[in-house]
Amino acid sequence: MTGMQETLFPLLAAVAGYLIGSLSFAVIVSRAMGLSDPRSYGSGNPGATNVLRSGNKAAAILTLVFDALKGYLPVLAVFIWGPRWGLGEGTAALVGLAAFLGHLWPVFFRFQGGKGVATAAGVIFALNPLLGVATLATWLIIAWFSRYSSLAAIVSAAFAPMYQLLIWEAGPTAFTLIIMGLLLVWRHQANIKKLLAGTESKLGAKAGSTAVSKPAHAAKARKKS
């Protein structure tokens, strides 16, 4: 394989991963099932946890599954068909990261995406299934005892790269995990503030209204009118 191909093929694979990641299934599933746009209620985040606040568990499960698959399948495709084109772990990790970035900033939805928890989980399971099990177990334990999906995601995002470095090895997979972990924590800034203030919504809590919360000054303005 020529030097140009060594650069072009991984780049094309990454672009394909990003486009697949840009499919916002929270919005797609909600539209298909006649539900409100998940960006218009609750946290406003187009993800499975917010879709669950609509009260439709089936929609939330479908969102979770498809968001995970869009991270899992592109990476798996590289491992299955990539070797014949000279593509290995480095390209698989790059494609996984691209799919994750697509979920955060989807080109098909005006770059307004979710936090990427399910997609990151799919990427992790494809890159290292045992690490995926360990990370999922971490999420389940934290979520079970705290009932906070956001806290479980933050802890899992921090532990995943640590597991990889301590049990397996450094490399492209570890690099992707670190970047995804940092971005996951960054995307949960608002949740961290709510957790510290004790106002974070717990798992299963329904949206109080069909609209995303307005700023405080808007509420005051309505009272005066």
PDB file of all heavy atoms in Angstrom, residues 4-21:
ATOM      1  N   MET A   4       0.222   7.361   0.148  1.00  0.00           N
ATOM      2  CA  MET A   4      -1.037   8.103  -0.019  1.00  0.00           C
ATOM      3  C   MET A   4      -2.214   7.274   0.484  1.00  0.00           C
ATOM      4  O   MET A   4      -3.122   7.789   1.154  1.00  0.00           O
ATOM      5  CB  MET A   4      -1.244   8.459  -1.492  1.00  0.00           C
ATOM      6  CG  MET A   4      -2.534   9.217  -1.764  1.00  0.00           C
ATOM      7  SD  MET A   4      -2.705   9.653  -3.499  1.00  0.00           S
ATOM      8  CE  MET A   4      -4.331  10.417  -3.490  1.00  0.00           C
ATOM      9  N   GLN A   5      -2.196   5.978   0.155  1.00  0.00           N
ATOM     10  CA  GLN A   5      -3.271   5.103   0.605  1.00  0.00           C
ATOM     11  C   GLN A   5      -3.266   4.954   2.122  1.00  0.00           C
ATOM     12  O   GLN A   5      -4.324   4.855   2.744  1.00  0.00           O
ATOM     13  CB  GLN A   5      -3.141   3.732  -0.061  1.00  0.00           C
ATOM     14  CG  GLN A   5      -3.463   3.746  -1.549  1.00  0.00           C
ATOM     15  CD  GLN A   5      -3.194   2.402  -2.195  1.00  0.00           C
ATOM     16  OE1 GLN A   5      -2.241   1.709  -1.843  1.00  0.00           O
ATOM     17  NE2 GLN A   5      -4.026   2.032  -3.157  1.00  0.00           N
ATOM     18  N   GLU A   6      -2.069   4.934   2.701  1.00  0.00           N
ATOM     19  CA  GLU A   6      -1.951   4.809   4.155  1.00  0.00           C
ATOM     20  C   GLU A   6      -2.598   5.993   4.871  1.00  0.00           C
ATOM     21  O   GLU A   6      -3.042   5.871   6.010  1.00  0.00           O
ATOM     22  CB  GLU A   6      -0.482   4.703   4.557  1.00  0.00           C
ATOM     23  CG  GLU A   6       0.162   3.378   4.166  1.00  0.00           C
ATOM     24  CD  GLU A   6       1.625   3.332   4.523  1.00  0.00           C
ATOM     25  OE1 GLU A   6       2.147   4.362   5.011  1.00  0.00           O
ATOM     26  OE2 GLU A   6       2.255   2.285   4.324  1.00  0.00           O
ATOM     27  N   THR A   7      -2.630   7.133   4.203  1.00  0.00           N
ATOM     28  CA  THR A   7      -3.268   8.323   4.772  1.00  0.00           C
ATOM     29  C   THR A   7      -4.732   8.417   4.358  1.00  0.00           C
ATOM     30  O   THR A   7      -5.598   8.755   5.173  1.00  0.00           O
ATOM     31  CB  THR A   7      -2.534   9.596   4.308  1.00  0.00           C
ATOM     32  OG1 THR A   7      -1.164   9.510   4.692  1.00  0.00           O
ATOM     33  CG2 THR A   7      -3.163  10.835   4.931  1.00  0.00           C
ATOM     34  N   LEU A   8      -5.007   8.112   3.090  1.00  0.00           N
ATOM     35  CA  LEU A   8      -6.349   8.284   2.534  1.00  0.00           C
ATOM     36  C   LEU A   8      -7.361   7.313   3.127  1.00  0.00           C
ATOM     37  O   LEU A   8      -8.463   7.714   3.516  1.00  0.00           O
ATOM     38  CB  LEU A   8      -6.305   8.119   1.016  1.00  0.00           C
ATOM     39  CG  LEU A   8      -7.642   8.310   0.271  1.00  0.00           C
ATOM     40  CD1 LEU A   8      -8.174   9.713   0.493  1.00  0.00           C
ATOM     41  CD2 LEU A   8      -7.472   8.016  -1.218  1.00  0.00           C
ATOM     42  N   PHE A   9      -7.007   6.050   3.208  1.00  0.00           N
ATOM     43  CA  PHE A   9      -7.965   5.042   3.685  1.00  0.00           C
ATOM     44  C   PHE A   9      -8.398   5.283   5.138  1.00  0.00           C
ATOM     45  O   PHE A   9      -9.597   5.240   5.435  1.00  0.00           O
ATOM     46  CB  PHE A   9      -7.398   3.637   3.508  1.00  0.00           C
ATOM     47  CG  PHE A   9      -7.298   3.197   2.070  1.00  0.00           C
ATOM     48  CD1 PHE A   9      -6.584   2.054   1.718  1.00  0.00           C
ATOM     49  CD2 PHE A   9      -7.929   3.915   1.063  1.00  0.00           C
ATOM     50  CE1 PHE A   9      -6.502   1.652   0.394  1.00  0.00           C
ATOM     51  CE2 PHE A   9      -7.847   3.523  -0.273  1.00  0.00           C
ATOM     52  CZ  PHE A   9      -7.128   2.382  -0.604  1.00  0.00           C
ATOM     53  N   PRO A  10      -7.462   5.529   6.049  1.00  0.00           N
ATOM     54  CA  PRO A  10      -7.899   5.851   7.419  1.00  0.00           C
ATOM     55  C   PRO A  10      -8.752   7.108   7.489  1.00  0.00           C
ATOM     56  O   PRO A  10      -9.710   7.183   8.268  1.00  0.00           O
ATOM     57  CB  PRO A  10      -6.573   6.038   8.174  1.00  0.00           C
ATOM     58  CG  PRO A  10      -5.590   5.226   7.420  1.00  0.00           C
ATOM     59  CD  PRO A  10      -6.000   5.391   5.984  1.00  0.00           C
ATOM     60  N   LEU A  11      -8.419   8.116   6.642  1.00  0.00           N
ATOM     61  CA  LEU A  11      -9.183   9.355   6.626  1.00  0.00           C
ATOM     62  C   LEU A  11     -10.605   9.109   6.137  1.00  0.00           C
ATOM     63  O   LEU A  11     -11.580   9.600   6.736  1.00  0.00           O
ATOM     64  CB  LEU A  11      -8.492  10.386   5.732  1.00  0.00           C
ATOM     65  CG  LEU A  11      -9.190  11.739   5.599  1.00  0.00           C
ATOM     66  CD1 LEU A  11      -9.310  12.414   6.958  1.00  0.00           C
ATOM     67  CD2 LEU A  11      -8.425  12.642   4.624  1.00  0.00           C
ATOM     68  N   LEU A  12     -10.742   8.328   5.059  1.00  0.00           N
ATOM     69  CA  LEU A  12     -12.068   8.009   4.539  1.00  0.00           C
ATOM     70  C   LEU A  12     -12.879   7.215   5.558  1.00  0.00           C
ATOM     71  O   LEU A  12     -14.084   7.441   5.726  1.00  0.00           O
ATOM     72  CB  LEU A  12     -11.945   7.215   3.230  1.00  0.00           C
ATOM     73  CG  LEU A  12     -11.414   7.976   2.023  1.00  0.00           C
ATOM     74  CD1 LEU A  12     -11.228   7.037   0.836  1.00  0.00           C
ATOM     75  CD2 LEU A  12     -12.350   9.121   1.645  1.00  0.00           C
ATOM     76  N   ALA A  13     -12.220   6.294   6.238  1.00  0.00           N
ATOM     77  CA  ALA A  13     -12.901   5.499   7.263  1.00  0.00           C
ATOM     78  C   ALA A  13     -13.374   6.395   8.405  1.00  0.00           C
ATOM     79  O   ALA A  13     -14.484   6.220   8.932  1.00  0.00           O
ATOM     80  CB  ALA A  13     -11.962   4.410   7.790  1.00  0.00           C
ATOM     81  N   ALA A  14     -12.543   7.372   8.786  1.00  0.00           N
ATOM     82  CA  ALA A  14     -12.911   8.296   9.864  1.00  0.00           C
ATOM     83  C   ALA A  14     -14.098   9.164   9.454  1.00  0.00           C
ATOM     84  O   ALA A  14     -15.003   9.416  10.265  1.00  0.00           O
ATOM     85  CB  ALA A  14     -11.720   9.171  10.240  1.00  0.00           C
ATOM     86  N   VAL A  15     -14.113   9.627   8.211  1.00  0.00           N
ATOM     87  CA  VAL A  15     -15.234  10.436   7.720  1.00  0.00           C
ATOM     88  C   VAL A  15     -16.524   9.622   7.748  1.00  0.00           C
ATOM     89  O   VAL A  15     -17.579  10.111   8.161  1.00  0.00           O
ATOM     90  CB  VAL A  15     -14.956  10.944   6.288  1.00  0.00           C
ATOM     91  CG1 VAL A  15     -16.211  11.581   5.682  1.00  0.00           C
ATOM     92  CG2 VAL A  15     -13.811  11.953   6.295  1.00  0.00           C
ATOM     93  N   ALA A  16     -16.427   8.350   7.310  1.00  0.00           N
ATOM     94  CA  ALA A  16     -17.606   7.471   7.348  1.00  0.00           C
ATOM     95  C   ALA A  16     -18.086   7.281   8.785  1.00  0.00           C
ATOM     96  O   ALA A  16     -19.291   7.323   9.063  1.00  0.00           O
ATOM     97  CB  ALA A  16     -17.270   6.122   6.721  1.00  0.00           C
ATOM     98  N   GLY A  17     -17.138   7.109   9.717  1.00  0.00           N
ATOM     99  CA  GLY A  17     -17.491   6.964  11.123  1.00  0.00           C
ATOM    100  C   GLY A  17     -18.181   8.202  11.663  1.00  0.00           C
ATOM    101  O   GLY A  17     -19.175   8.104  12.396  1.00  0.00           O
ATOM    102  N   TYR A  18     -17.672   9.371  11.276  1.00  0.00           N
ATOM    103  CA  TYR A  18     -18.279  10.628  11.730  1.00  0.00           C
ATOM    104  C   TYR A  18     -19.699  10.776  11.198  1.00  0.00           C
ATOM    105  O   TYR A  18     -20.611  11.187  11.937  1.00  0.00           O
ATOM    106  CB  TYR A  18     -17.431  11.819  11.275  1.00  0.00           C
ATOM    107  CG  TYR A  18     -18.110  13.146  11.502  1.00  0.00           C
ATOM    108  CD1 TYR A  18     -18.152  13.710  12.774  1.00  0.00           C
ATOM    109  CD2 TYR A  18     -18.736  13.817  10.458  1.00  0.00           C
ATOM    110  CE1 TYR A  18     -18.802  14.914  12.999  1.00  0.00           C
ATOM    111  CE2 TYR A  18     -19.379  15.019  10.669  1.00  0.00           C
ATOM    112  CZ  TYR A  18     -19.412  15.564  11.941  1.00  0.00           C
ATOM    113  OH  TYR A  18     -20.062  16.756  12.156  1.00  0.00           O
ATOM    114  N   LEU A  19     -19.923  10.443   9.933  1.00  0.00           N
ATOM    115  CA  LEU A  19     -21.254  10.578   9.336  1.00  0.00           C
ATOM    116  C   LEU A  19     -22.249   9.623  10.001  1.00  0.00           C
ATOM    117  O   LEU A  19     -23.411   9.983  10.240  1.00  0.00           O
ATOM    118  CB  LEU A  19     -21.181  10.310   7.834  1.00  0.00           C
ATOM    119  CG  LEU A  19     -20.408  11.356   7.019  1.00  0.00           C
ATOM    120  CD1 LEU A  19     -20.324  10.934   5.551  1.00  0.00           C
ATOM    121  CD2 LEU A  19     -21.047  12.735   7.140  1.00  0.00           C
ATOM    122  N   ILE A  20     -21.793   8.408  10.299  1.00  0.00           N
ATOM    123  CA  ILE A  20     -22.663   7.459  10.992  1.00  0.00           C
ATOM    124  C   ILE A  20     -22.972   7.971  12.396  1.00  0.00           C
ATOM    125  O   ILE A  20     -24.113   7.907  12.871  1.00  0.00           O
ATOM    126  CB  ILE A  20     -22.001   6.064  11.053  1.00  0.00           C
ATOM    127  CG1 ILE A  20     -21.905   5.475   9.645  1.00  0.00           C
ATOM    128  CG2 ILE A  20     -22.793   5.126  11.971  1.00  0.00           C
ATOM    129  CD1 ILE A  20     -21.088   4.202   9.562  1.00  0.00           C
ATOM    130  N   GLY A  21     -21.955   8.505  13.060  1.00  0.00           N
ATOM    131  CA  GLY A  21     -22.153   9.052  14.395  1.00  0.00           C
ATOM    132  C   GLY A  21     -23.076  10.251  14.407  1.00  0.00           C
ATOM    133  O   GLY A  21     -23.698  10.562  15.434  1.00  0.00           O
TER     134      GLY A  21
END
